[in-house]
């Protein structure tokens, strides 16, 4: 199957001209989901920080550079002077509990009462980030017992472990959080200078704490990491606010409405359930059968996928046999295989998340529990979404529903074992990704909608039909599955400053806008397109909806607007 000629549009579209029919969640529901994301991810944050602390105080304590930490603290003690003592005291106080609480309250009050500022969402971001850092810090100090440096301490020693530095972590959450808000919520030539000064505060607080004999260097590093993780988690979890749709394109109504004569999820009829037996047991199938019967969809044919056929053949047979609804229970790979057979048919697809990533289900706003997701979908309505069409050297042409790409994400997926996914779930991808950070950069050329090619280096290239990934993070914030466009993300951070800038861009939950076809490359760039040709200087690992495919030098992607009909939750479901 290949895209029809009618799908080609010669001019490169603007995001402002695209339809935004997927609404943001209602405030209450969105905040509830955000709280759940923050709590669950904070558990992972605390586990990571405790694990690092046990490593620092355990096996790594006898490994360089940790063996030289005592030398550093001794050198700082010998370098003390009256002036430096006074300066370090002032700087250290910028991170103490009273100063951080007062600073947070004043900043939040200013965001709420000063006119023309973003108000409560930014205030909530700052307050929750500082609070989260403090809670995780308390967990860390209870779990990791580390003595303070064996030098004369200039401050009274609080009854907490030396790991991590609470002053440094709190200062990072407050001042780095303010830096993020200044960079992305204000305008003017002064904002970068102010942001740099704010970012320097937690670093100076950490140095002052080490100078005053209160912490080892790794305690300072742990405080910086704890504060930064708190900012990242809260920034990614908080809802972005009500969505205001742009003017709809001329074919929007046609794409939203079901095809003439096409069945809908509300009308009982022949139903096929294509399920992956490796992630769907008999109990889950029984639960799905009960939900289908409760909604009038019986009898239902349950057809398992196989290693040789992950879902396309089973779905195609169901279509030939007259199915009016296809339910797919599996991960994104199973959903993608079924979408191959359903593309252009108008037969509704009900997505039941049973895999590791379940990214399409997350982007459609479905619950993560299979029976609940099916019930919500059956109470919903059919909606046409786009599909991506991709091909390249050494890979068969195929559709994708979520994302395809090359580089870091593909290498991460390839190096994640099935055992790790079974034990850890989606955090297994994060662990694998950390191992791939040292992979060399790619050199590539990108051609978009016939425009002049762009030359770039990159760690990762993503072609996205949807934007959200695990944990509710919006990796490609502007991507919508029903706007008739695909989005391209090019990630190329250089050094710690580059990664910080990249994280700040992602925390904003929206791109600054298209970077254009000229100009200096940034750590994160976003583009929209209908047709793209991506060529690499050397073969790169590639992936398709979370499944690794053969490495290669080329990816050609094209959007198929409204090619797949899915059952989506009604607004407020």
């Amino acid at each position: 199957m290949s895209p029809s000629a009618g799908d080609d549009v010669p001019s490169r579209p603007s995001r402002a001209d695209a339809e935004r029919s997927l609404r943001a969640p209602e405030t209450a529901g969105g905040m509830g989901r955000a709280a759940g994301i923050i709590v669950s991810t904070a558990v992972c944050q605390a586990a990571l920080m405790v694990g690092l602390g046990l490593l620092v105080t355990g096996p790594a304590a006898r490994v360089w550079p940790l063996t030289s930490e005592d030398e550093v603290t001794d050198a700082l003690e010998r370098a003390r002077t009256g002036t430096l003592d006074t300066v370090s005291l002032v700087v250290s106080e910028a991170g103490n509990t009273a100063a951080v609480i007062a600073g947070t309250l004043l900043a939040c009050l200013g965001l709420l009462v000063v006119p023309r500022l973003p108000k409560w969402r930014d205030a909530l971001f700052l307050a929750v980030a500082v609070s989260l850092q403090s809670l995780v810090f308390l967990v860390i100090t209870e779990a990791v017992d580390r003595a303070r440096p064996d030098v004369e301490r200039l401050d009274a020693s609080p009854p907490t472990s030396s790991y991590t530095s609470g002053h440094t972590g709190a200062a990072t959450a407050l001042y780095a959080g303010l830096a993020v808000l200044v960079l992305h919520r204000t305008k003017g030539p002064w904002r970068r200078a102010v942001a740099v000064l704010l970012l320097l505060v937690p670093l100076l607080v950490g140095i002052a704490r080490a100078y005053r004999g209160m912490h080892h260097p790794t305690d300072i590093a742990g405080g910086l990491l704890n504060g930064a993780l708190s900012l990242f988690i809260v920034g990614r979890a908080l809802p972005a606010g009500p969505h205001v749709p742009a003017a709809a394109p001329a074919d929007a109504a046609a794409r939203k409405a079901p095809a003439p004569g096409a069945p809908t999820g509300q009308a009982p009829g022949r139903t096929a359930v294509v399920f992956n037996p490796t992630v769907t047991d008999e109990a889950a199938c029984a639960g799905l059968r009960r939900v289908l019967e409760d909604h009038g969809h019986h009898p239902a044919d349950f057809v398992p996928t196989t290693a040789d056929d992950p879902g396309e053949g089973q779905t195609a047979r169901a279509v030939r046999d007259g199915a009016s609804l296809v339910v797919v229970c599996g991960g994104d790979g199973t959903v993608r295989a079924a979408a191959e057979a359903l593309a252009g048919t108008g037969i509704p697809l009900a997505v039941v998340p049973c895999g590791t990533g379940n990214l399409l289900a997350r982007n459609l706003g479905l619950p993560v529990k299979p029976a609940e997701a099916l019930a919500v979908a059956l109470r919903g309505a059919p909606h046409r979404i786009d599909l991506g069409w991709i091909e390249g050297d050494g890979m068969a042409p195929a559709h994708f529903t979520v994302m395809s790409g090359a580089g870091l994400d593909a290498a991460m997926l390839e190096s994640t074992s099935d055992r790790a996914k079974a034990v850890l779930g989606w955090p297994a991808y994060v662990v694998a990704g950390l191992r791939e950070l040292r992979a060399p950069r790619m050199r590539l050329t990108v051609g978009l909608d016939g425009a002049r090619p762009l030359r770039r280096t990159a760690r990762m290239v993503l072609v996205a039909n949807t934007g959200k990934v695990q944990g509710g993070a919006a990796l490609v914030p502007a991507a919508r599955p029903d706007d008739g466009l695909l989005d391209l993300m090019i990630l190329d951070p250089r050094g710690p400053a580059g990664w910080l800038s990249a994280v700040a861009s992602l925390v904003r939950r929206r791109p600054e806008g298209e970077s254009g076809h000229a100009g200096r490359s940034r750590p994160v760039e976003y583009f929209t397109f209908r047709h793209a040709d991506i060529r690499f200087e050397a073969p790169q690992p590639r992936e398709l909806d979370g499944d690794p495919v053969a490495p290669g030098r080329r990816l050609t992607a094209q959007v198929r607007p409204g090619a797949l009909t899915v059952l989506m939750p009604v607004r407020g479901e």
Side-chain angles (χ1 to χ4, degrees), residues 8-272:
D8 293 327
V9 178
S11 60
R12 186 169 184 268
S14 167
R15 172 66 61 184
D17 297 329
E19 179 187 11
R20 296 289 191 268
S21 60
L22 292 183
R23 301 292 191 257
E26 297 292 332
T27 301
M31 292 309 299
R33 284 190 289 274
I37 292 169
I38 290 172
V39 171
S40 59
T41 316
V43 172
C44 298
Q45 175 188 352
L48 172 64
M49 296 302 304
V50 169
L52 290 175
L54 296 176
L55 182 65
V56 166
T57 57
R62 296 179 294 275
V63 178
W64 189 90
L66 272 69
T67 53
S68 63
E69 286 197 300
D70 289 341
E71 298 175 9
V72 174
T73 54
D74 290 343
L76 290 173
E77 183 183 30
R78 291 193 300 269
R80 289 176 183 171
T81 67
T83 301
L84 289 178
D85 289 353
T86 302
V87 172
S88 67
L89 174 62
V90 174
V91 174
S92 177
E93 289 300 296
N96 72 21
T97 302
V100 169
I101 292 175
T104 304
L105 290 176
L106 289 174
C108 292
L109 184 62
L111 288 167
L112 293 173
V113 301
V114 175
R116 303 181 64 180
L117 286 181
K119 304 205 179 204
W120 72 269
R121 292 186 185 276
D122 291 342
L124 189 63
F125 158 70
L126 195 62
V128 175
V130 172
S131 301
L132 176 61
Q133 183 282 145
S134 300
L135 291 173
V136 174
F137 165 74
L138 293 176
V139 173
I140 296 169
T141 56
E142 287 293 324
V144 181
D145 185 17
R146 190 183 198 188
R148 296 188 182 273
D150 187 18
V151 296
E152 180 187 357
R153 292 188 284 276
L154 300 182
D155 297 323
S157 299
T160 55
S161 169
S162 180
Y163 177 89
T164 61
S165 171
H167 281 62
T168 307
T172 302
L174 173 58
Y175 300 107
L178 289 172
V180 170
L181 296 179
V182 167
L183 277 175
H184 302 297
R185 300 301 197 194
T186 61
K187 298 180 180 179
W190 51 268
R191 64 190 182 100
R192 294 185 183 275
V194 172
V196 168
L197 292 175
L198 288 168
L199 290 173
L200 283 176
V201 174
L203 294 175
L204 294 175
V205 169
I207 294 172
R209 297 299 288 170
Y211 171 87
R212 299 182 69 79
M214 303 306 297
H215 294 286
H216 306 275
T218 46
D219 303 333
I220 306 302
L224 291 169
L225 179 60
N226 187 35
L229 286 174
S230 299
L231 286 173
F232 180 78
I233 289 171
V234 176
R236 300 305 296 157
L238 288 181
H243 172 66
V244 181
D251 65 341
R255 288 197 287 107
K256 288 168 113 177
T264 69
Q266 301 291 347
R270 186 180 180 87
T271 300

Side-chain angles (χ1 to χ4, degrees), residues 4-13 251 449-450 484-485 529-531 558-559 561:
S4 64
D7 289 339
D8 293 327
V9 178
S11 60
R12 186 169 184 268
D251 65 341
D449 294 327
L485 302 168
F529 65 91
R530 287 193 171 94
H531 185 278
Q558 181 174 332
V559 66

